[in-house]
Amino acid sequence: MTTLLPIIEELADASDHPARARWLLETPLAVLIRDQVTVARLLSASGFHEGLAYLAAEIAALSATRGCDGLAAFSVRMTREHARIGIQVIARGSVPEGGNATAGSR
């Protein structure tokens, strides 16, 4: 028996990077921020570096000071969207594991 919450167990049980990417995109942001240490540990143990970058971008955006318009700085928002696009590509299975989702094919 594990001490992980069921939603976190889903990440721990993910069989490949596309499944992990789908989990990251579908999981409530509140879970990502609350359980960020455990999520980062699981992503690191699986070697999913793009997932770690995405998690860091989401946490930075969620934690950023916002301007009078209610938005984080443009650079924070763009970093988050860039990471999200990369994870979306991986979630679709379009990038081989260990490949670079943002660099395209070489």
Side-chain angles (χ1 to χ4, degrees), residues 58-76:
E58 283 289 4
I59 298 303
L62 291 167
S63 304
T65 301
R66 298 178 296 153
C68 60
D69 59 0
L71 299 173
F74 181 75
S75 60
V76 172

Side-chain angles (χ1 to χ4, degrees), residues 51-62 79:
L52 283 166
Y54 170 75
L55 177 64
E58 283 289 4
I59 298 303
L62 291 167
T79 298

Side-chain angles (χ1 to χ4, degrees), residues 11 16-22 24 42-53 87 90:
L11 175 61
D16 55 19
H17 290 346
R20 290 179 193 96
R22 286 187 296 276
L24 284 166
L42 291 169
L43 295 173
S44 181
S46 70
F48 190 25
H49 305 290
E50 296 87 354
L52 283 166
I87 288 298
I90 294 168

